[in-house]
Amino acid sequence: MTLSVPLFHSLPPEDVRVHLNAASPRLVSIDEKEALIRSGVSYGELLTPEQAPSDAQTAAYHGALRRNGPRVGQLLAALSAETLRAYPQPVLVSLARAGTPVGCAMRRLARRWGRDLPHHTLSIIRGEGIDRAALAEVQAAHPHAQLIFVDGWTGKGSIHDTLKGSLPAGVPARLAVLSDPAGVALHAATHDDLLLPHAALNATVCGLLSRSFVTAPGQRHAARREDSLAPHDLSAHYLDALDDLSRPYGPDTPLVSGPRPVQPQAAALAAAARLGVLDPHRVKPGVGEATRVFLRRRPAHLLVRDAAHPDTGHLRELADASGVPVTTHPDLPYLAVATIAGGEP
């Protein structure tokens, strides 16, 4: 039985079925988390309590919605239309959390076009793999469907690799994303590095769900509801905004993602290596992943392609506030790359 109930999350139940257990995680500070990870504890077992969004995060969300919103609406329509064209019985399986609002928006679009596009969301954790128990529930509900794994963006492509390496035999790693600067997704609305509005926030654009974590072998991955953040919840606001932004487009919207980038990860790792960071696990390329570093990890350095680009303004502000050095690298294939201080991922 899934815990897709109003008391567990604030997402509209008609938009998504949530395959996560409600649980109390091991809560640690960022510094404790970094030390435990260095000692060999899995990242998937630890959770840092989320704080209310900062002024910089909130401004970044609203700024990205104004600046990039019209394009995001078109990208959503193109990705949804391509999914409906390419598969006879597609089912969306979004990867919590960054994929969840994307999957909700795609389901709404398909419904507007007269199609029922089922949408489930479940957990995938690097180092742990996809939640096999939750995936089995989805497969049981749709035994003859084509599962499309939905995420918001790619960075190095680690989640794609985790997906490919942890899916059961016979389940293709059909990854669909809005922004694919890593060049790894099967279906990408664009390969541009683009600040999606929900990358600036966490639980407050994803139904108040925390980052997912593991509890026991064989059990579904879990999350907790971040009730203290309820006054800041923008989940409904975001989905309604995506509705409005995608409304001008129909099911004939073409998918024109542009040329697939060639080994952008190598260029990001080389730029980090010039700063003395040789461990690839400590290098997080892409504006979305760099933002996550500042929200959930201990950043060491920020590299940006353009010191004045509006999509990295919040990162420069966060770096300045935390004393993290910022350097400009005009040849970066990504808008931004963040490095993590010391230790393993």
Side-chain angles (χ1 to χ4, degrees):
M1 175 180 177
T2 58
L3 289 173
S4 179
V5 296
L7 293 179
F8 183 47
H9 62 79
S10 65
L11 295 165
E14 64 272 19
D15 289 338
V16 61
R17 183 177 175 186
V18 176
H19 297 260
L20 286 162
N21 286 336
S24 298
R26 180 181 181 181
L27 296 173
V28 296
S29 69
I30 290 179
D31 287 337
E32 288 173 317
K33 178 167 67 176
E34 298 294 353
L36 287 167
I37 289 171
R38 286 194 295 271
S39 73
V41 176
S42 170
Y43 176 82
E45 298 175 18
L46 307 171
L47 196 70
T48 301
E50 279 193 34
Q51 305 300 316
S54 66
D55 290 343
Q57 286 177 258
T58 303
Y61 165 78
H62 288 290
L65 201 55
R66 287 191 304 270
R67 188 175 60 252
N68 297 337
R71 186 179 183 195
V72 171
Q74 186 272 332
L75 296 176
L76 273 169
L79 194 63
S80 302
E82 175 70 11
T83 299
L84 294 172
R85 283 192 297 263
Y87 303 100
Q89 290 182 276
V91 169
L92 302 180
V93 183
S94 62
L95 305 178
R97 292 179 296 181
T100 306
V102 179
C104 289
M106 292 175 69
R107 172 164 167 76
R108 288 188 178 191
L109 258 175
R111 209 160 49 220
R112 191 185 308 150
W113 296 339
R115 295 284 300 274
D116 180 25
L117 187 56
H119 174 215
H120 303 257
T121 195
L122 50 71
S123 165
I124 187 170
I125 300 173
R126 190 167 56 81
E128 302 286 344
I130 197 163
D131 185 340
R132 288 284 197 101
L135 182 64
E137 294 171 355
V138 176
Q139 290 177 295
H142 308 280
H144 304 296
Q146 300 82 47
L147 304 185
I148 315 302
F149 297 95
V150 176
D151 211 351
W153 61 85
T154 62
K156 281 202 302 281
S158 299
I159 289 298
H160 172 265
D161 293 344
T162 300
L163 183 68
K164 190 174 180 180
S166 62
L167 285 172
V171 181
R174 303 184 187 99
L175 181 64
V177 301
L178 291 181
S179 171
D180 181 34
V184 296
L186 179 62
H187 301 292
T190 182
H191 294 300
D192 293 343
D193 194 6
L194 175 71
L195 179 62
L196 302 178
H198 66 286
L201 301 172
N202 284 317
T204 55
V205 283
C206 196
L208 297 178
L209 290 170
S210 75
R211 181 178 62 76
S212 60
F213 52 90
V214 295
T215 53
Q219 291 188 9
R220 282 195 312 187
H221 295 181
R224 74 168 189 165
R225 180 179 168 122
E226 300 284 359
D227 287 308
S228 65
L229 302 181
H232 308 277
D233 191 7
L234 292 170
S235 303
H237 174 271
Y238 188 44
L239 292 180
D240 289 345
L242 295 179
D243 255 357
D244 291 339
L245 291 164
S246 60
R247 198 169 295 278
Y249 303 97
D252 57 347
T253 305
L255 185 72
V256 186
S257 55
R260 189 177 293 270
V262 180
Q263 296 187 322
Q265 304 89 338
L269 293 174
R274 289 194 290 271
L275 297 173
V277 180
L278 303 179
D279 181 356
H281 293 305
R282 291 172 52 202
V283 182
K284 303 296 181 181
V287 66
E289 289 305 293
T291 300
R292 290 292 192 252
V293 170
F294 278 86
L295 299 184
R296 300 204 299 233
R297 304 298 300 270
R298 185 65 65 202
H301 204 112
L302 174 66
L303 298 75
V304 296
R305 186 168 68 202
D306 178 354
H309 199 290
D311 275 8
T312 58
H314 67 293
L315 289 171
R316 300 192 302 272
E317 186 174 342
L318 291 169
D320 182 64
S322 55
V324 171
V326 181
T327 55
T328 303
H329 300 257
D331 295 331
L332 270 182
Y334 298 90
L335 284 179
V337 176
T339 65
I340 297 171
E344 288 299 309

